[in-house]
């Protein structure tokens, strides 16, 4: 439960707004699990592990801005890994399910999904990935995902791939031909993707990783409780199933640091 000191060994500029910080620690974590990153003197925030011991950070506010200003040799505190991670079924698991998977990543949502794609690929699964961003230069991990299987791209401004939202890029696939869907990105994007899957009767085959505000990461503060189930994103998630989320507050509201409901 105590933070360990992680020294930054490499900084990778992934896109104009996203960097990866590689550190000198290696954590034994499942794809989709997260750590609490202590930016000393400022805040402690949740971050997925994009590689062992690495986080991939998009600048959105004070803490992520401070992380973006760090140099090689600087350090952060790391607690974790926490949460459940994605459930991946490999070839030969016996139930005949799970061999053909679709990964849908919006923006920095690609961070927890890259290790999943890599693990799925090495387990012999057939991986199709859809990545979306506002513009071509904000596409995250395009090359890495392309090494894991088929890749389809969507950009809001049409600068690469499908012109429009990632949901438009889903049209080119026979969704019923996939066994599992793994999704992470802005919440309204995830809700739209889930609505499409529900219309096809596939919501129970979706696993979504939620980026909600919380303070503790261990189920104590209650800031990330999801109505009406009462599940906590940090403790029971961050990966939750589509059939559970379709009947929830997903895409309607979330809570801020004071617990106040904020409408999307
Ligand atoms: C399990 C989990 C894994 C995450 N993994 C990553 C990751 O790999 N890379 C990454 O860049 N971000 C990730 N996030 C989101 C990240 O924690 C927030 O972007 C960060 O806490 C914002 O802190 P800030 O001080 O920079 O911004 P703030 O000043 O706190 O907020 C700036 C804006 O971001 C929104 N925001 C604040 N906290 C969150 C949050 N937890 N999730 C979504 N939006 C938030 C606020 O509503 C506000 O609009 C993850 C969140 C969770 C819960």
């Amino acid at each position: 439960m105590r933070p360990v000191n992680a020294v930054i060994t490499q900084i990778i500029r992934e896109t104009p707004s996203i960097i990866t910080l590689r550190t000198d620690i290696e954590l034994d974590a499942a794809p989709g699990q997260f750590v609490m990153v202590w930016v000393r003197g400022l805040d402690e925030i949740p971050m997925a592990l994009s590689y062992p011991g690495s986080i991939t950070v998009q600048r959105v506010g004070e803490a992520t801005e401070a992380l973006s200003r760090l140099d090689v040799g600087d350090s952060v505190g790391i607690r974790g890994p926490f949460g459940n991670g994605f459930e991946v079924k490999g070839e030969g698991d016996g139930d005949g399910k799970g061999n053909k998977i679709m990964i849908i990543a919006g923006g920095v949502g690609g961070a927890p999904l890259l290790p999943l794609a890599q693990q799925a690929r090495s387990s012999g699964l057939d991986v199709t990935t859809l990545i979306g961003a506002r513009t071509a230069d904000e596409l995250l991990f395009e090359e890495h995902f392309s090494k894991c299987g088929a890749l389809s791209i969507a950009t809001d401004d049409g600068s690469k791939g499908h012109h429009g939202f990632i949901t438009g890029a889903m049209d080119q696939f026979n969704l019923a031909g996939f066994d599992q869907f793994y999704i992470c990105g802005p919440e309204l994007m995830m809700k739209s993707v889930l609505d499409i899957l529900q219309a096809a009767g596939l919501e129970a085959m979706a696993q979504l990783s939620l980026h909600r505000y919380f303070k503790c990461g261990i189920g104590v503060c209650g800031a990330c409780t999801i109505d009406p189930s009462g599940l906590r994103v940090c403790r029971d998630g961050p990966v939750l199933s589509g059939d559970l989320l379709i009947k929830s507050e997903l895409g309607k509201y979330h809570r801020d640091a004071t617990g106040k409901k904020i409408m999307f």
Side-chain angles (χ1 to χ4, degrees):
M1 290 297 164
R2 282 194 186 159
V4 296
N5 195 52
V7 178
I8 294 161
T9 53
Q10 190 188 3
I11 299 170
I12 305 166
R13 310 260 156 218
E14 308 281 7
T15 79
S17 72
I18 302 174
I19 57 164
T20 292
L21 300 176
R22 288 186 178 261
T23 74
D24 64 346
I25 61 164
E26 286 240 347
L27 294 169
D28 187 16
Q33 284 194 291
F34 69 93
V35 290
M36 294 301 288
V37 180
W38 177 28
V39 190
R40 290 189 179 83
L42 191 62
D43 203 351
E44 196 189 25
I45 58 171
M47 284 280 147
L49 288 161
S50 49
Y51 310 90
S54 300
I55 53 170
T56 296
V57 184
Q58 178 157 49
R59 271 192 326 272
V60 293
E62 222 183 348
T64 48
E65 177 69 46
L67 284 172
S68 305
R69 283 196 304 267
L70 296 178
D71 286 322
V72 169
D74 290 340
S75 65
V76 291
I78 298 276
R79 278 195 296 135
F82 297 125
N84 56 359
F86 296 104
E87 189 192 338
V88 191
K89 293 184 177 180
E91 245 178 359
D93 277 0
D95 61 2
K97 284 193 161 186
N99 290 338
K100 195 163 181 231
I101 68 167
M102 179 177 275
I103 290 173
I104 306 174
V108 80
L113 290 168
L114 179 62
L116 169 80
Q118 291 168 332
Q119 182 179 312
R121 178 69 174 177
S122 53
S123 308
L125 302 193
D126 180 341
V127 181
T128 296
T129 305
L130 275 59
I131 56 172
R134 292 208 173 101
T135 55
D137 62 356
E138 283 293 345
L139 288 164
L140 180 64
F141 297 148
E142 181 181 345
E143 202 185 320
H144 294 301
F145 279 122
S146 71
K147 289 180 183 152
C148 299
L151 179 69
S152 191
I153 287 170
T155 51
D156 297 1
D157 70 348
S159 45
K160 192 156 190 182
H162 169 77
H163 187 168
F165 294 144
I166 209 163
T167 41
M170 290 170 73
D171 288 349
Q172 55 187 302
F173 296 96
N174 170 23
L175 298 175
F178 289 86
D179 300 298
Q180 282 290 314
F181 300 86
Y182 299 93
I183 307 150
C184 188
E187 193 158 317
L188 290 179
M189 174 220 115
M190 293 204 285
K191 175 71 165 80
S192 303
V193 169
L194 192 53
D195 286 343
I196 291 172
L197 293 177
Q198 187 195 25
L202 299 169
E203 70 276 14
M205 288 145 79
Q207 298 180 38
L208 299 90
S209 180
L210 265 56
H211 281 187
R212 284 297 184 96
Y213 176 85
F214 51 76
K215 297 159 197 165
C216 68
I218 53 171
V220 175
C221 75
C224 61
T225 304
I226 299 281
D227 292 336
S229 63
L231 291 175
R232 294 154 298 179
V233 171
C234 70
R235 187 79 189 227
D236 305 303
V239 179
L240 296 169
S241 75
D243 51 346
L244 188 145
L245 287 172
I246 203 80
K247 297 171 238 143
S248 79
E249 66 180 58
L250 181 84
K252 297 186 186 101
Y253 59 84
H254 62 111
R255 289 174 196 275
D256 70 9
T258 68
K260 197 173 114 195
K261 282 185 190 172
I262 310 288
M263 305 309 287
F264 276 106

